[in-house]
Coordinates of all heavy atoms in Angstrom, one line a residue:
M1 N 84.5 49.9 -26.7 CA 85.8 50.2 -27.1 C 86.0 51.7 -27.0 O 85.2 52.5 -27.4 CB 86.1 49.8 -28.4 CG 86.3 48.3 -28.7 SD 86.8 47.8 -30.4 CE 85.2 48.0 -31.2
S2 N 87.2 52.2 -26.5 CA 87.6 53.5 -26.5 C 89.0 53.7 -26.9 O 89.8 52.8 -26.7 CB 87.3 54.1 -25.1 OG 88.2 53.6 -24.2
T3 N 89.3 54.8 -27.5 CA 90.6 55.1 -27.9 C 91.3 56.2 -27.1 O 90.6 57.1 -26.8 CB 90.6 55.5 -29.5 OG1 89.9 54.5 -30.1 CG2 92.1 55.6 -30.0
G4 N 92.6 56.0 -26.8 CA 93.2 57.0 -26.0 C 94.7 57.0 -26.3 O 95.1 56.4 -27.3
K5 N 95.5 57.7 -25.6 CA 96.9 57.6 -25.8 C 97.6 56.3 -25.7 O 98.5 56.1 -26.5 CB 97.7 58.5 -24.6 CG 97.4 60.0 -24.8 CD 98.1 60.7 -23.8 CE 97.8 62.2 -23.8 NZ 98.5 63.0 -22.8
T6 N 97.0 55.4 -24.9 CA 97.6 54.1 -24.8 C 97.0 53.1 -25.8 O 97.3 51.9 -25.7 CB 97.3 53.5 -23.3 OG1 96.0 53.5 -23.1 CG2 97.9 54.4 -22.2
G7 N 96.2 53.5 -26.7 CA 95.6 52.6 -27.7 C 94.2 52.2 -27.4 O 93.5 53.0 -26.7
T8 N 93.8 51.3 -28.1 CA 92.3 50.9 -28.0 C 92.0 50.0 -26.8 O 92.8 49.1 -26.4 CB 91.9 50.1 -29.3 OG1 92.3 50.9 -30.4 CG2 90.4 49.8 -29.3
R9 N 91.0 50.4 -26.1 CA 90.4 49.7 -24.9 C 89.2 48.8 -25.4 O 88.4 49.4 -26.0 CB 90.1 50.6 -23.8 CG 91.2 51.4 -23.4 CD 92.1 50.7 -22.5 NE 93.2 51.6 -22.0 CZ 94.2 51.2 -21.4 NH1 94.4 49.9 -21.1 NH2 95.1 52.0 -21.0
Y10 N 89.2 47.6 -25.0 CA 88.1 46.7 -25.3 C 87.4 46.4 -24.0 O 88.1 46.1 -22.9 CB 88.6 45.4 -26.0 CG 89.4 45.7 -27.3 CD1 90.7 45.8 -27.3 CD2 88.7 45.9 -28.5 CE1 91.4 46.0 -28.4 CE2 89.3 46.2 -29.6 CZ 90.7 46.3 -29.6 OH 91.4 46.5 -30.8
D11 N 86.1 46.2 -24.1 CA 85.3 45.9 -22.9 C 85.3 44.4 -22.6 O 85.8 43.6 -23.6 CB 83.9 46.4 -23.0 CG 83.0 45.8 -24.1 OD1 83.5 44.8 -24.7 OD2 81.9 46.3 -24.4
E12 N 85.0 44.0 -21.5 CA 84.9 42.6 -21.0 C 84.3 41.7 -22.0 O 84.7 40.6 -22.2 CB 84.4 42.5 -19.6 CG 85.2 43.2 -18.6 CD 86.5 42.5 -18.1 OE1 86.5 41.3 -18.1 OE2 87.5 43.3 -18.1
D13 N 83.0 42.1 -22.4 CA 82.2 41.3 -23.3 C 82.9 40.9 -24.6 O 82.8 39.8 -25.1 CB 80.9 41.9 -23.5 CG 80.0 41.8 -22.3 OD1 80.2 41.0 -21.5 OD2 79.1 42.7 -22.2
F14 N 83.6 42.0 -25.2 CA 84.3 41.8 -26.4 C 85.5 40.7 -26.2 O 85.6 39.8 -27.0 CB 84.8 43.1 -26.9 CG 85.6 43.0 -28.2 CD1 85.0 42.9 -29.4 CD2 87.0 43.1 -28.1 CE1 85.6 42.8 -30.6 CE2 87.8 43.0 -29.2 CZ 87.1 42.9 -30.5
K15 N 86.2 40.9 -25.2 CA 87.3 40.0 -24.9 C 86.8 38.6 -24.7 O 87.3 37.7 -25.2 CB 88.0 40.5 -23.6 CG 88.8 41.8 -23.7 CD 89.3 42.3 -22.4 CE 89.9 43.6 -22.5 NZ 90.4 44.0 -21.1
R16 N 85.8 38.5 -23.9 CA 85.2 37.1 -23.7 C 84.6 36.4 -24.9 O 84.8 35.3 -25.1 CB 84.2 37.1 -22.5 CG 84.6 37.5 -21.2 CD 83.6 37.5 -20.1 NE 83.9 38.0 -18.9 CZ 84.6 37.3 -18.0 NH1 84.8 36.0 -18.1 NH2 84.9 37.9 -16.8
T17 N 84.0 37.2 -25.8 CA 83.5 36.8 -27.0 C 84.6 36.2 -27.9 O 84.5 35.2 -28.5 CB 82.8 37.9 -27.8 OG1 81.7 38.3 -27.0 CG2 82.2 37.4 -29.1
L18 N 85.7 37.0 -28.0 CA 86.8 36.5 -28.8 C 87.5 35.2 -28.1 O 87.8 34.3 -29.0 CB 87.9 37.5 -29.0 CG 87.5 38.7 -29.8 CD1 88.8 39.6 -30.0 CD2 87.2 38.3 -31.3
V19 N 87.6 35.2 -26.9 CA 88.1 33.9 -26.3 C 87.2 32.7 -26.5 O 87.6 31.6 -26.9 CB 88.3 34.2 -24.7 CG1 88.6 32.9 -24.1 CG2 89.4 35.2 -24.5
N20 N 85.9 33.0 -26.5 CA 84.9 31.9 -26.7 C 85.0 31.4 -28.2 O 85.0 30.2 -28.3 CB 83.5 32.3 -26.3 CG 83.3 32.4 -24.9 OD1 84.0 31.8 -24.1 ND2 82.3 33.2 -24.5
L21 N 85.2 32.3 -29.1 CA 85.4 32.0 -30.5 C 86.6 31.1 -30.7 O 86.6 30.2 -31.5 CB 85.3 33.3 -31.3 CG 84.1 34.0 -31.6 CD1 84.4 35.4 -32.3 CD2 83.1 33.2 -32.5
Y22 N 87.7 31.6 -30.1 CA 88.9 30.8 -30.1 C 88.8 29.4 -29.5 O 89.1 28.4 -30.2 CB 90.1 31.6 -29.5 CG 91.2 30.7 -29.4 CD1 92.0 30.5 -30.5 CD2 91.7 30.2 -28.2 CE1 93.2 29.6 -30.5 CE2 92.9 29.4 -28.1 CZ 93.7 29.2 -29.3 OH 94.7 28.3 -29.2
Q23 N 88.2 29.2 -28.4 CA 88.0 28.0 -27.7 C 87.1 27.1 -28.3 O 87.2 25.9 -28.2 CB 87.6 28.2 -26.2 CG 88.8 28.9 -25.4 CD 88.4 29.1 -24.0 OE1 87.2 29.4 -23.6 NE2 89.4 29.1 -23.2
S24 N 86.1 27.7 -29.0 CA 85.1 26.7 -29.7 C 85.8 26.1 -30.9 O 85.2 25.1 -31.4 CB 83.9 27.6 -30.2 OG 84.3 28.5 -31.2
G25 N 87.0 26.5 -31.2 CA 87.7 25.9 -32.3 C 87.4 26.3 -33.7 O 87.8 25.8 -34.7
G26 N 86.5 27.3 -33.8 CA 86.1 27.8 -35.1 C 87.1 28.5 -35.8 O 87.2 28.6 -37.0
K27 N 88.0 29.3 -35.1 CA 88.9 30.1 -35.7 C 90.4 30.1 -35.0 O 90.3 29.9 -33.8 CB 88.5 31.6 -35.9 CG 87.3 31.7 -36.7 CD 86.9 33.2 -37.0 CE 85.7 33.2 -37.9 NZ 85.4 34.4 -38.4
T28 N 91.4 30.4 -35.7 CA 92.7 30.4 -35.1 C 92.9 31.9 -34.5 O 92.1 32.7 -34.8 CB 93.7 30.3 -36.2 OG1 93.8 31.3 -37.0 CG2 93.6 28.9 -36.8
Q29 N 94.0 32.0 -33.6 CA 94.3 33.3 -33.1 C 94.5 34.3 -34.2 O 94.1 35.4 -34.1 CB 95.4 33.1 -32.1 CG 95.1 32.5 -30.8 CD 96.3 32.5 -29.8 OE1 97.0 33.5 -29.9 NE2 96.4 31.6 -28.9
A30 N 95.4 33.9 -35.2 CA 95.6 34.7 -36.2 C 94.5 35.3 -37.0 O 94.3 36.4 -37.3 CB 96.7 34.1 -37.2
A31 N 93.5 34.3 -37.3 CA 92.3 34.6 -38.0 C 91.4 35.7 -37.1 O 90.9 36.7 -37.7 CB 91.5 33.4 -38.3
L32 N 91.3 35.5 -35.8 CA 90.6 36.4 -35.0 C 91.2 37.8 -35.0 O 90.4 38.7 -35.0 CB 90.4 35.7 -33.6 CG 89.4 34.5 -33.5 CD1 89.6 33.9 -32.2 CD2 88.1 35.0 -33.7
C33 N 92.5 37.8 -34.9 CA 93.2 39.0 -34.8 C 93.0 39.7 -36.1 O 92.8 41.0 -36.1 CB 94.7 38.8 -34.5 SG 95.1 38.2 -32.9
K34 N 93.1 39.1 -37.2 CA 92.9 39.8 -38.5 C 91.5 40.3 -38.6 O 91.3 41.4 -39.0 CB 93.3 38.9 -39.6 CG 93.3 39.5 -40.9 CD 93.6 38.5 -42.0 CE 93.7 39.3 -43.4 NZ 94.1 38.3 -44.4
E35 N 90.6 39.5 -38.3 CA 89.2 39.8 -38.5 C 88.7 41.0 -37.5 O 88.0 41.8 -37.9 CB 88.3 38.5 -38.2 CG 86.8 38.8 -38.4 CD 85.9 37.5 -38.4 OE1 86.5 36.4 -38.4 OE2 84.8 37.7 -38.2
Y36 N 89.2 41.0 -36.3 CA 88.7 42.0 -35.3 C 89.7 43.1 -35.0 O 89.4 43.9 -34.2 CB 88.3 41.2 -34.0 CG 87.1 40.4 -34.2 CD1 87.2 39.0 -34.4 CD2 85.9 40.9 -34.1 CE1 86.1 38.2 -34.6 CE2 84.7 40.1 -34.2 CZ 84.8 38.8 -34.5 OH 83.7 38.0 -34.7
G37 N 90.8 43.0 -35.7 CA 91.8 44.2 -35.6 C 92.5 44.2 -34.2 O 92.8 45.4 -33.7
V38 N 92.7 43.0 -33.5 CA 93.4 43.1 -32.2 C 94.8 42.5 -32.5 O 95.0 41.7 -33.4 CB 92.7 42.4 -31.1 CG1 91.3 43.1 -30.9 CG2 92.4 40.9 -31.4
S39 N 95.7 42.8 -31.6 CA 97.0 42.2 -31.7 C 97.0 40.7 -31.1 O 96.2 40.4 -30.2 CB 98.1 43.0 -30.9 OG 97.9 42.9 -29.5
I40 N 97.9 39.9 -31.6 CA 98.1 38.6 -31.2 C 98.5 38.6 -29.7 O 98.0 37.6 -29.0 CB 99.1 37.9 -32.1 CG1 99.0 36.3 -31.9 CG2 100.6 38.3 -31.9 CD1 97.9 35.6 -32.6
T41 N 99.2 39.5 -29.3 CA 99.6 39.6 -27.8 C 98.4 39.8 -26.9 O 98.3 39.2 -25.9 CB 100.6 40.7 -27.7 OG1 101.7 40.6 -28.5 CG2 101.2 40.7 -26.2
A42 N 97.6 40.8 -27.4 CA 96.4 41.0 -26.6 C 95.5 39.8 -26.5 O 95.0 39.4 -25.4 CB 95.6 42.2 -27.1
L43 N 95.3 39.2 -27.7 CA 94.4 38.0 -27.7 C 94.9 36.9 -26.8 O 94.2 36.2 -26.0 CB 94.2 37.5 -29.1 CG 93.3 36.4 -29.3 CD1 91.9 36.6 -28.7 CD2 93.1 36.0 -30.7
G44 N 96.2 36.7 -26.9 CA 96.9 35.7 -26.0 C 96.7 35.9 -24.6 O 96.4 35.0 -23.8
R45 N 96.9 37.2 -24.2 CA 96.6 37.6 -22.8 C 95.2 37.3 -22.4 O 95.0 36.8 -21.2 CB 97.0 39.0 -22.7 CG 97.2 39.6 -21.2 CD 97.8 41.0 -21.1 NE 97.2 41.9 -22.0 CZ 97.8 42.5 -23.0 NH1 99.0 42.3 -23.3 NH2 97.2 43.5 -23.8
W46 N 94.2 37.7 -23.3 CA 92.8 37.5 -22.9 C 92.5 36.0 -22.8 O 91.7 35.6 -21.9 CB 92.0 38.1 -23.9 CG 92.1 39.6 -24.2 CD1 92.7 40.5 -23.3 CD2 91.7 40.4 -25.2 NE1 92.7 41.7 -23.6 CE2 92.1 41.7 -25.0 CE3 91.1 40.1 -26.5 CZ2 91.8 42.7 -25.9 CZ3 90.9 41.1 -27.4 CH2 91.2 42.5 -27.0
I47 N 93.1 35.2 -23.6 CA 92.9 33.8 -23.5 C 93.3 33.2 -22.2 O 92.6 32.5 -21.5 CB 93.5 33.0 -24.7 CG1 92.8 33.3 -26.1 CG2 93.6 31.5 -24.4 CD1 93.5 32.9 -27.2
K48 N 94.5 33.6 -21.7 CA 95.0 33.2 -20.5 C 94.1 33.7 -19.3 O 93.8 33.0 -18.3 CB 96.4 33.7 -20.2 CG 97.5 33.0 -21.0 CD 98.9 33.6 -20.6 CE 99.9 33.0 -21.4 NZ 101.3 33.7 -21.2
Q49 N 93.7 35.0 -19.4 CA 92.9 35.7 -18.5 C 91.4 35.0 -18.3 O 91.0 34.9 -17.2 CB 92.8 37.1 -18.7 CG 92.1 37.9 -17.7 CD 92.1 39.5 -18.0 OE1 92.5 39.9 -19.0 NE2 91.4 40.2 -17.1
Y50 N 90.9 34.8 -19.4 CA 89.4 34.4 -19.5 C 89.2 32.9 -19.7 O 88.0 32.5 -19.6 CB 88.7 35.1 -20.5 CG 88.7 36.6 -20.1 CD1 89.3 37.5 -21.0 CD2 87.9 37.1 -19.0 CE1 89.3 38.9 -20.6 CE2 87.9 38.5 -18.7 CZ 88.5 39.3 -19.5 OH 88.6 40.7 -19.2
S51 N 90.2 32.1 -19.8 CA 90.1 30.6 -19.9 C 89.6 30.1 -18.7 O 90.0 30.7 -17.5 CB 91.4 30.0 -20.3 OG 91.7 30.4 -21.7
T52 N 88.8 29.0 -18.7 CA 88.1 28.6 -17.4 C 88.7 27.1 -17.1 O 89.2 26.5 -17.9 CB 86.6 28.5 -17.5 OG1 86.4 27.6 -18.6 CG2 86.0 29.8 -17.7
V53 N 88.7 26.8 -15.8 CA 89.0 25.6 -15.3 C 87.9 25.0 -14.4 O 87.2 25.8 -13.7 CB 90.3 25.7 -14.4 CG1 90.6 24.4 -13.7 CG2 91.5 26.2 -15.1
E54 N 87.5 23.7 -14.6 CA 86.4 23.2 -13.9 C 87.0 22.4 -12.6 O 87.8 21.6 -13.0 CB 85.5 22.3 -14.7 CG 84.3 21.8 -14.0 CD 83.3 21.2 -14.8 OE1 83.4 21.4 -16.1 OE2 82.3 20.5 -14.3
T55 N 86.6 22.6 -11.5 CA 87.0 22.0 -10.3 C 86.3 20.6 -10.2 O 85.4 20.3 -10.9 CB 86.8 22.8 -9.0 OG1 85.4 22.9 -8.8 CG2 87.5 24.1 -9.1
D56 N 86.8 19.8 -9.3 CA 86.1 18.5 -9.0 C 84.7 18.5 -8.6 O 83.9 17.7 -8.9 CB 86.9 17.7 -7.9 CG 88.4 17.3 -8.4 OD1 88.6 17.3 -9.6 OD2 89.2 17.1 -7.4
D57 N 84.3 19.6 -7.9 CA 83.0 19.9 -7.5 C 82.1 20.6 -8.5 O 81.0 21.0 -8.2 CB 82.9 20.4 -6.0 CG 83.4 21.9 -6.1 OD1 84.0 22.2 -7.2 OD2 83.3 22.5 -5.1
G58 N 82.6 20.7 -9.7 CA 81.8 21.3 -10.7 C 81.9 22.8 -10.9 O 81.3 23.4 -11.7
E59 N 82.6 23.5 -10.0 CA 82.8 25.0 -10.0 C 83.7 25.4 -11.2 O 84.7 24.7 -11.4 CB 83.3 25.4 -8.6 CG 83.3 26.9 -8.4 CD 83.9 27.4 -7.2 OE1 84.3 26.6 -6.3 OE2 84.0 28.6 -7.0
V60 N 83.3 26.4 -11.9 CA 84.1 26.9 -13.0 C 84.8 28.2 -12.6 O 84.2 29.0 -12.1 CB 83.3 27.2 -14.2 CG1 84.0 27.7 -15.3 CG2 82.5 25.9 -14.7
L61 N 86.1 28.1 -12.7 CA 87.0 29.3 -12.4 C 87.7 29.8 -13.6 O 88.2 29.0 -14.3 CB 88.0 28.8 -11.2 CG 87.5 28.2 -10.0 CD1 88.6 27.7 -9.1 CD2 86.7 29.3 -9.2
T62 N 88.0 31.2 -13.5 CA 88.7 31.7 -14.6 C 90.1 31.7 -14.2 O 90.5 31.4 -13.0 CB 88.5 33.2 -14.8 OG1 88.7 33.9 -13.7 CG2 86.9 33.4 -15.2
A63 N 91.1 31.9 -15.1 CA 92.5 31.8 -14.8 C 92.8 33.0 -13.8 O 93.6 32.8 -13.0 CB 93.3 32.0 -16.1
K64 N 92.1 34.0 -13.9 CA 92.3 35.1 -12.9 C 92.0 34.7 -11.5 O 92.6 35.0 -10.6 CB 91.5 36.4 -13.4 CG 91.7 37.5 -12.5 CD 90.8 38.7 -13.0 CE 91.0 39.9 -12.2 NZ 90.2 41.1 -12.7
Q65 N 90.9 34.0 -11.4 CA 90.4 33.6 -10.1 C 91.4 32.5 -9.5 O 91.7 32.4 -8.4 CB 89.0 32.9 -10.2 CG 88.0 33.9 -10.4 CD 86.6 33.3 -10.7 OE1 86.5 32.3 -11.5 NE2 85.5 33.7 -10.0
V66 N 91.9 31.6 -10.4 CA 92.9 30.6 -10.0 C 94.2 31.3 -9.5 O 94.7 31.0 -8.4 CB 93.3 29.6 -11.1 CG1 94.5 28.7 -10.8 CG2 92.1 28.8 -11.5
K67 N 94.6 32.4 -10.2 CA 95.7 33.2 -9.7 C 95.5 33.9 -8.4 O 96.4 33.9 -7.6 CB 96.1 34.2 -10.8 CG 97.5 34.8 -10.6 CD 97.8 35.6 -11.8 CE 99.3 36.0 -11.7 NZ 100.0 36.2 -13.0
E68 N 94.2 34.3 -8.2 CA 93.9 35.0 -7.0 C 94.0 33.9 -5.8 O 94.5 34.3 -4.7 CB 92.7 35.7 -7.0 CG 92.6 37.0 -7.9 CD 91.2 37.6 -8.1 OE1 90.2 36.8 -7.7 OE2 91.1 38.5 -8.8
L69 N 93.5 32.8 -6.1 CA 93.5 31.7 -5.0 C 94.9 31.3 -4.8 O 95.2 30.9 -3.5 CB 92.7 30.5 -5.6 CG 91.2 30.7 -5.6 CD1 90.5 29.5 -6.3 CD2 90.6 30.9 -4.2
Q70 N 95.8 31.3 -5.7 CA 97.1 30.8 -5.5 C 97.8 31.8 -4.7 O 98.6 31.6 -3.7 CB 97.9 30.7 -6.8 CG 97.5 29.5 -7.6 CD 98.1 29.4 -9.0 OE1 98.4 30.5 -9.6 NE2 98.3 28.2 -9.5
K71 N 97.6 33.1 -4.9 CA 98.1 34.3 -4.2 C 97.6 34.3 -2.6 O 98.4 34.3 -1.7 CB 97.7 35.6 -4.7 CG 98.3 36.8 -4.1 CD 97.9 38.0 -4.9 CE 98.5 39.2 -4.2 NZ 98.0 40.5 -4.8
R72 N 96.3 34.0 -2.5 CA 95.7 33.8 -1.2 C 96.4 32.6 -0.4 O 96.7 32.7 0.8 CB 94.2 33.7 -1.3 CG 93.5 33.6 0.0 CD 93.7 34.8 0.9 NE 92.8 34.6 2.1 CZ 93.2 35.1 3.3 NH1 94.3 35.9 3.4 NH2 92.5 34.9 4.3
N73 N 96.6 31.5 -1.1 CA 97.1 30.4 -0.5 C 98.5 30.6 0.0 O 98.9 30.3 1.1 CB 97.1 29.2 -1.5 CG 97.4 27.9 -0.9 OD1 97.1 27.6 0.2 ND2 98.3 27.1 -1.6
A74 N 99.3 31.3 -0.8 CA 100.7 31.6 -0.4 C 100.7 32.5 0.8 O 101.5 32.4 1.7 CB 101.4 32.4 -1.6
Q75 N 99.7 33.6 0.8 CA 99.6 34.4 2.0 C 99.3 33.6 3.2 O 99.9 33.8 4.3 CB 98.5 35.5 1.6 CG 98.4 36.4 2.8 CD 97.2 37.4 2.5 OE1 96.5 37.2 1.5 NE2 97.0 38.4 3.3
L76 N 98.3 32.7 3.2 CA 97.9 31.9 4.3 C 99.0 31.0 4.7 O 99.2 30.8 6.0 CB 96.7 31.1 3.9 CG 95.4 31.8 3.8 CD1 94.2 30.9 3.2 CD2 95.0 32.5 5.1
E77 N 99.8 30.3 3.8 CA 100.9 29.6 4.2 C 102.0 30.4 4.9 O 102.6 29.9 6.0 CB 101.6 28.9 3.1 CG 100.7 27.9 2.4 CD 101.3 27.2 1.2 OE1 102.3 27.8 0.5 OE2 100.8 26.1 0.7
E78 N 102.2 31.6 4.5 CA 103.2 32.5 5.2 C 102.6 32.9 6.6 O 103.5 32.8 7.6 CB 103.3 33.8 4.5 CG 104.4 34.8 5.0 CD 104.7 36.0 4.1 OE1 104.3 35.9 2.9 OE2 105.2 37.0 4.7
E79 N 101.4 33.1 6.8 CA 100.8 33.4 8.0 C 100.9 32.2 9.0 O 101.2 32.3 10.2 CB 99.3 33.8 8.0 CG 99.2 35.2 7.3 CD 97.6 35.5 7.0 OE1 96.8 34.8 7.6 OE2 97.4 36.6 6.4
L80 N 100.7 31.0 8.5 CA 100.8 29.8 9.2 C 102.3 29.6 9.7 O 102.5 29.3 10.9 CB 100.4 28.6 8.4 CG 100.5 27.3 9.0 CD1 99.6 27.1 10.3 CD2 100.1 26.1 8.1
L81 N 103.2 29.9 8.9 CA 104.6 29.8 9.3 C 105.0 30.8 10.4 O 105.6 30.3 11.4 CB 105.5 30.0 8.0 CG 107.0 29.9 8.2 CD1 107.3 28.4 8.6 CD2 107.7 30.2 6.9
I82 N 104.4 32.0 10.3 CA 104.6 32.9 11.3 C 104.1 32.4 12.6 O 104.7 32.6 13.7 CB 104.1 34.2 10.9 CG1 104.9 34.9 9.8 CG2 104.1 35.3 12.2 CD1 104.3 36.1 9.1
L83 N 102.8 31.9 12.6 CA 102.2 31.5 13.8 C 102.9 30.3 14.4 O 103.1 30.2 15.6 CB 100.8 31.1 13.5 CG 99.8 32.2 13.2 CD1 98.5 31.7 12.8 CD2 99.6 33.1 14.5
K84 N 103.4 29.3 13.6 CA 104.2 28.2 14.1 C 105.5 28.7 14.9 O 105.8 28.2 15.9 CB 104.7 27.3 13.0 CG 103.5 26.4 12.5 CD 103.9 25.5 11.4 CE 102.9 24.6 10.9 NZ 103.3 23.7 9.8
K85 N 106.1 29.8 14.2 CA 107.4 30.3 14.9 C 106.9 31.0 16.2 O 107.7 30.8 17.2 CB 108.0 31.3 13.9 CG 108.8 30.6 12.8 CD 109.3 31.6 11.8 CE 110.0 31.0 10.7 NZ 110.7 31.9 9.8
A86 N 105.9 31.7 16.2 CA 105.4 32.4 17.5 C 105.1 31.3 18.5 O 105.4 31.6 19.7 CB 104.1 33.3 17.2
I87 N 104.5 30.3 18.1 CA 104.1 29.1 19.1 C 105.5 28.7 19.7 O 105.7 28.4 21.0 CB 103.3 28.1 18.5 CG1 101.9 28.5 18.2 CG2 103.3 26.8 19.3 CD1 101.0 27.6 17.5
A88 N 106.5 28.4 18.8 CA 107.8 27.8 19.2 C 108.4 28.8 20.3 O 109.0 28.5 21.3 CB 108.7 27.6 18.1
I89 N 108.2 30.1 20.0 CA 108.9 31.2 20.9 C 108.2 31.2 22.2 O 108.9 31.3 23.2 CB 108.9 32.5 20.2 CG1 109.8 32.5 19.0 CG2 109.3 33.6 21.1 CD1 109.9 33.7 18.0
F90 N 106.8 31.3 22.2 CA 106.1 31.5 23.5 C 105.7 30.2 24.2 O 105.2 30.3 25.3 CB 104.9 32.3 23.1 CG 105.2 33.7 22.6 CD1 105.1 34.2 21.3 CD2 105.8 34.5 23.5 CE1 105.3 35.3 20.9 CE2 106.1 35.9 23.1 CZ 105.8 36.3 21.8
T91 N 106.0 29.1 23.7 CA 105.6 27.8 24.4 C 106.8 27.5 25.3 O 107.9 27.4 24.9 CB 105.5 26.7 23.4 OG1 104.5 27.0 22.5 CG2 105.1 25.4 24.2
P92 N 106.5 27.4 26.7 CA 107.5 27.1 27.6 C 108.0 25.7 27.5 O 107.3 24.8 27.1 CB 106.9 27.3 29.0 CG 105.4 27.3 28.8 CD 105.3 27.6 27.3
H93 N 109.3 25.5 27.6 CA 109.9 24.2 27.3 C 110.4 23.8 28.7 O 110.9 24.5 29.5 CB 111.2 24.2 26.3 CG 110.8 24.7 25.0 ND1 110.2 23.7 24.1 CD2 110.8 25.8 24.3 CE1 109.9 24.3 23.0 NE2 110.4 25.6 23.0
S94 N 110.1 22.4 29.0 CA 110.7 21.9 30.2 C 112.2 21.8 30.2 O 112.8 21.7 29.1 CB 109.9 20.6 30.6 OG 110.5 19.6 29.6
S95 N 112.8 21.7 31.4 CA 114.3 21.6 31.4 C 114.7 20.2 31.1 O 115.9 19.9 30.9 CB 114.7 21.9 32.8 OG 114.1 21.2 33.9
N96 N 113.8 19.3 31.0 CA 114.1 17.9 30.6 C 114.3 17.7 29.1 O 114.7 16.7 28.7 CB 113.1 16.8 31.1 CG 113.0 16.8 32.6 OD1 114.0 17.2 33.3 ND2 111.9 16.4 33.2
D97 N 113.9 18.6 28.3 CA 113.9 18.5 26.8 C 115.3 18.6 26.3 O 116.3 19.1 26.8 CB 113.1 19.6 26.1 CG 111.6 19.4 26.4 OD1 111.2 18.3 26.7 OD2 110.9 20.4 26.2

């Protein structure tokens, strides 16, 4: 943890520990915030960021990784649309069409 003009900074391990404590069902968000001196907003953000999702093949992804995959998927869909348009433009059409 470090303190600066923007407030307290917490390291990744601290954030993950609090998220794990919350997810294990041992304590509520409010209790964790009071005990560790973090804001409810920060803890909520960390829970979203560090919560995990297990895929069908057993791979475990964080919410951050899921968001990155969604962003990449959108980018690939856009590229595919551009390629489809390019094919339509550059593919010669017969006069019988």
